[in-house]
């Protein structure tokens, strides 16, 4: 009995260490790139769509480079039978949207766009390239259009007697700079560009959704539509959510769907950088708060 | 059978009851369920379809051979962790927790001290790979027929009941 009592401590210590080691091993498997779980890849398209990733701590979005890489990885993975784009984005760069859309069109596996709160502008451009678009009845869909709007500071500079010193080699070299007024011919130039991009957008949606260019042009006012209205207009295929996505894929492919999220694996450097960014921001916030501390009007 | 071994076997008079051994094993598996298997649960949940039954899991496995390979790799990892449990405790104390509760212990037939390789050899049946997987069928048959698992014959060990004086 005494013998057993002496053993308890070391045995408990051993069990705890074994448990910790098991957690470590399971974490290794969870984070390992080699373990592909599921047969339907889910790729998130969240936030602003850009061509390259942002280094800023404050900006989070979808970079075309990353999404294209993930789509490529999913298309090459033999265990992946279909790709679902989980879309919650108001759009972004037309080039990035086109690049992602072209990538989707090029792969042989079935693709589904699952629109959450919003799938507008560039995000809708991407979605239109998929085989099936499913959105909630209250999702905001569409906004087929192009914007190049910006805030002009010319009057603010004038108010404070600041001067924008213009030094350019070509007349339109600084067209669109916010520090001076936009001239009429420059505005026409920019609008031509915007209209050209708008034309590409309309053609793309018309082609992908089997709609006429005329009809698509009519609805391409930049307006966002509800999921329900989008269905009526032919911009989406089905009202629903994740279960409807599953049902569609299981019906199309005759498989049991198991989702697996494909996302960029954060490297050790990324993790450390995020920690440092977070800590730096907190320190800055603290210093700013200290410096801006309100002083009492009367001191005793 | 060599005379020396027959003589040594005659000295071992308190072979453990097979049912006690099975119970001790289940107690150990229950402990390992919490220590080793539970950390992998969320990973299994992500790997396999939700709310599946045997039939849906089977058809899912057939459709996804890559996932089957990954599962085998994970099972080998889990088995290795379980082997660590058995080997360490049997080598250090001659008993696992289940055996302590059921008052059983492991002895070496031909040596005084239980060796580490003996402990490893008697627990290799936990590896879910060929040829060790054959021991899942052979060991129980040997146990009920000869009072000793084949793994124990190979490792020259035996499970006995602890007497009242703790020996």
């Amino acid at each position: 009995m005494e013998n057993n009592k002496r053993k308890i401590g070391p045995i408990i210590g051993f069990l705890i260490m074994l448990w910790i080691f098991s957690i470590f091993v399971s974490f290794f498997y969870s984070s390992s790139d080699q373990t592909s779980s599921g047969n339907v890849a889910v790729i998130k398209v969240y936030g602003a769509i850009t061509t390259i990733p942002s280094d800023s701590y404050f900006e989070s979005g979808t970079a075309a480079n990353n999404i294209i890489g993930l789509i490529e990885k999913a298309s090459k993975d033999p265990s992946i039978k279909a790709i679902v784009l989980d879309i919650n984005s108001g759009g972004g760069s037309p080039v990035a949207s086109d690049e992602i859309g072209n990538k989707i069109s090029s792969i042989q596996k079935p693709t589904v766009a699952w629109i959450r709160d919003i799938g507008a502008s560039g995000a809708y451009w991407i979605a239109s390239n998929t085989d099936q678009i499913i959105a909630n009845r209250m999702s905001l869909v569409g906004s087929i259009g192009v914007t190049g709007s910006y805030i002009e500071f010319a009057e603010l500079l004038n108010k404070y007697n600041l001067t924008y010193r213009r030094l350019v080699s070509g007349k339109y070299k600084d067209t669109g700079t916010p520090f001076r007024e936009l001239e009429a011919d420059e505005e026409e130039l920019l609008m031509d560009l915007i209209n050209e991009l708008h034309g590409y957008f309309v053609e793309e949606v018309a082609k992908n959704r089997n709609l006429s260019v005329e009809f698509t042009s009519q609805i391409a006012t930049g307006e966002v539509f509800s999921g329900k209205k989008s269905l009526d207009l032919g911009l989406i295929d089905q009202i629903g959510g994740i279960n409807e996505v599953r049902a569609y894929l299981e019906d199309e492919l005759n498989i049991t769907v198991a989702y697996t999220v494909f996302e960029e694996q954060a490297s050790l450097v990324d993790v450390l950088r995020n920690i440092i960014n977070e800590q730096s921001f907190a320190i800055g916030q603290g210093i700013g708060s200290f410096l801006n501390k309100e002083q009492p009007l009367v001191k005793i | 059978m060599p005379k020396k071994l027959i003589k040594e076997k005659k000295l071992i008079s308190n072979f453990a009851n097979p049912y006690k051994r099975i119970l001790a094993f289940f107690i150990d598996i229950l402990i390992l369920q919490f220590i080793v298997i539970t950390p992998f649960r969320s990973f299994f949940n992500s790997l396999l379809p939700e709310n599946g039954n045997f039939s849906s899991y089977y058809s899912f496995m057939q459709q996804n051979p890559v996932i089957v390979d990954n599962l085998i790799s994970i099972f080998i990892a889990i088995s290795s962790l379980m082997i660590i449990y058995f080997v360490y405790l049997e080598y250090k104390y001659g008993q696992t927790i289940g055996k302590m509760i059921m008052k059983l212990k492991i002895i070496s037939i031909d040596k005084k001290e239980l060796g580490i390789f003996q402990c490893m050899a008697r627990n290799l049946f936990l590896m879910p790979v060929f040829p060790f997987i054959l021991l899942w069928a052979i060991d129980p048959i040997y146990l009920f027929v000869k009072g000793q698992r084949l793994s124990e014959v190979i490792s020259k060990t035996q499970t006995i009941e602890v007497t009242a004086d703790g020996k």
Side-chain angles (χ1 to χ4, degrees):
Chain A
M1 194 66 173
E2 281 287 323
N3 218 13
N4 279 345
K5 281 185 183 172
R6 275 206 296 270
K7 291 177 194 172
I8 289 173
I11 287 174
I12 290 173
F14 166 71
L15 291 178
I16 290 171
M17 287 191 58
L18 187 62
W19 177 64
I20 291 169
F21 188 55
S22 303
I23 290 172
F24 175 76
V25 173
S26 69
F27 176 74
F28 166 76
Y29 272 96
S30 302
S31 59
S32 168
D33 199 40
Q34 293 166 9
T35 50
S36 68
S37 54
N39 55 9
V40 173
V42 177
I43 298 172
K44 294 177 187 174
V45 180
Y46 287 179
I49 299 167
T50 57
T51 43
I52 56 173
S54 166
D55 278 336
S56 169
Y57 172 69
F58 299 101
E59 289 177 25
S60 63
T62 294
N65 285 2
N66 293 345
I67 297 296
I68 288 168
L70 292 172
I71 293 171
E72 179 70 16
K73 186 178 163 191
S75 75
K76 282 182 176 169
D77 188 335
S79 68
I80 297 297
K81 310 298 182 211
I83 298 173
V84 173
L85 296 178
D86 175 1
I87 295 176
N88 198 13
S89 165
S93 156
V95 170
S97 304
D98 191 38
E99 285 177 349
I100 297 171
N102 287 340
K103 186 63 188 172
I104 293 167
S105 298
S106 71
I107 63 171
Q108 302 303 313
K109 295 183 182 176
T111 52
V112 177
W114 172 35
I115 296 176
R116 313 289 296 277
D117 292 312
I118 181 164
S121 196
Y124 182 72
W125 183 316
I126 293 169
S128 71
N129 281 277
T130 61
D131 300 316
Q132 182 85 350
I133 306 178
I134 297 175
N136 187 283
R137 62 197 169 130
M138 293 181 283
S139 297
L140 299 179
V141 180
S143 186
I144 303 169
V146 180
T147 177
S149 308
Y150 62 96
I151 296 174
E152 196 176 272
F153 294 105
E155 286 192 27
L156 187 68
L157 293 179
N158 288 337
K159 188 179 173 183
Y160 289 98
N161 289 324
L162 296 171
T163 305
Y164 169 71
R165 185 64 66 190
R166 188 165 186 258
L167 297 167
V168 293
S169 63
K171 184 185 175 190
Y172 299 116
K173 188 67 181 176
D174 64 344
T175 296
T177 179
F179 302 119
R180 65 171 178 82
E181 279 182 34
L182 191 67
E183 304 289 335
D185 59 334
E186 288 177 323
E187 185 172 343
E188 195 178 323
L189 200 71
L190 289 175
M191 279 310 302
D192 284 344
L193 184 60
I194 284 170
N195 287 332
E196 184 183 348
L197 297 180
H198 182 89
Y200 296 147
F201 199 168
V202 167
E203 282 171 15
E204 186 76 9
V205 171
K207 179 190 78 172
N208 292 337
R209 299 298 304 164
N210 284 325
L211 303 169
S212 69
V213 172
E214 292 74 30
F215 174 74
T216 310
S217 296
Q218 282 173 19
I219 62 174
T221 58
E223 185 183 348
V224 279
F225 306 104
S226 68
K228 176 69 176 67
K229 188 154 186 198
S230 303
L231 182 68
D232 297 336
L233 292 171
L235 294 178
I236 67 170
D237 299 294
Q238 195 179 346
I239 296 291
I242 192 63
N243 291 332
E244 281 70 24
V245 173
R246 178 190 296 274
Y248 168 76
L249 288 171
E250 288 185 344
D251 193 47
E252 276 293 303
L253 300 171
N254 198 26
I255 58 170
T256 304
V257 166
Y259 294 117
T260 177
V261 177
F262 270 50
E263 54 193 353
E264 286 294 310
Q265 297 289 333
S267 67
L268 181 62
V269 172
D270 291 330
V271 171
L272 289 174
R273 185 170 59 189
N274 285 339
I275 291 170
I276 291 167
N277 280 343
E278 213 173 294
Q279 296 297 334
S280 302
F281 179 71
I283 291 168
Q285 207 175 26
I287 293 171
S289 167
F290 175 75
L291 292 174
N292 287 327
K293 209 163 47 175
E294 281 186 16
Q295 300 294 327
L297 290 174
V298 177
K299 287 184 186 177
I300 299 170
Chain B
M1 188 182 287
K3 284 185 182 173
K4 187 181 174 189
L5 200 57
I6 295 170
K7 188 178 170 187
E8 282 165 349
K9 275 184 77 72
K10 281 183 179 170
L11 292 175
I12 302 169
S13 58
N14 52 346
F15 280 108
N17 182 301
Y19 296 104
K20 273 192 173 182
R21 294 183 58 166
I22 291 169
L23 195 54
F25 182 70
F26 277 124
I27 292 170
D28 287 322
I29 293 299
L30 197 63
I31 292 167
L32 287 167
Q33 169 78 17
F34 290 108
I35 303 288
V36 169
I37 297 172
T38 300
F40 288 87
R41 182 155 291 167
S42 62
F43 181 65
F44 280 125
N45 289 342
S46 69
L47 204 61
L48 298 169
E50 293 170 12
N51 303 323
N53 53 28
F54 176 77
S55 170
S56 64
Y57 285 141
Y58 183 73
S59 66
F60 179 73
M61 298 292 178
Q62 279 189 310
Q63 293 158 15
N64 298 282
V66 175
I67 290 181
V68 173
D69 290 342
N70 290 328
L71 281 173
I72 290 172
S73 158
I74 294 162
F75 284 141
I76 290 173
I78 291 174
S79 301
S80 302
L81 292 165
M82 289 167 72
I83 287 173
I84 290 173
Y85 168 88
F86 281 97
V87 168
Y88 177 78
L89 290 176
E90 287 178 357
Y91 177 63
K92 187 92 173 138
Y93 304 108
Q95 299 169 296
T96 59
I97 296 172
K99 288 183 175 67
M100 285 178 201
I101 294 169
M102 297 308 297
K103 294 187 175 21
L104 305 173
K105 72 184 267 187
I106 312 297
I107 59 166
S108 174
I109 289 175
D110 61 350
K111 292 190 289 188
K112 279 194 174 174
E113 295 290 324
L114 199 59
I116 185 86
F117 291 111
Q118 286 180 289
C119 294
M120 286 170 69
R122 57 177 279 113
N123 288 302
L124 281 174
F125 75 96
L126 290 165
M127 259 307 157
V129 293
F130 185 84
F132 308 113
I133 207 165
L134 297 173
L135 292 168
W136 293 9
I138 298 172
D139 264 2
I141 294 170
Y142 244 83
L143 177 63
F144 280 97
V145 169
K146 293 190 180 281
Q148 209 182 1
R149 290 190 291 125
L150 179 60
S151 304
E152 290 177 322
V153 172
I154 294 167
S155 61
K156 294 184 181 167
T157 58
Q158 178 58 50
T159 305
I160 59 170
E161 297 201 18
V162 175
T163 54
D165 59 0
K167 290 184 182 173

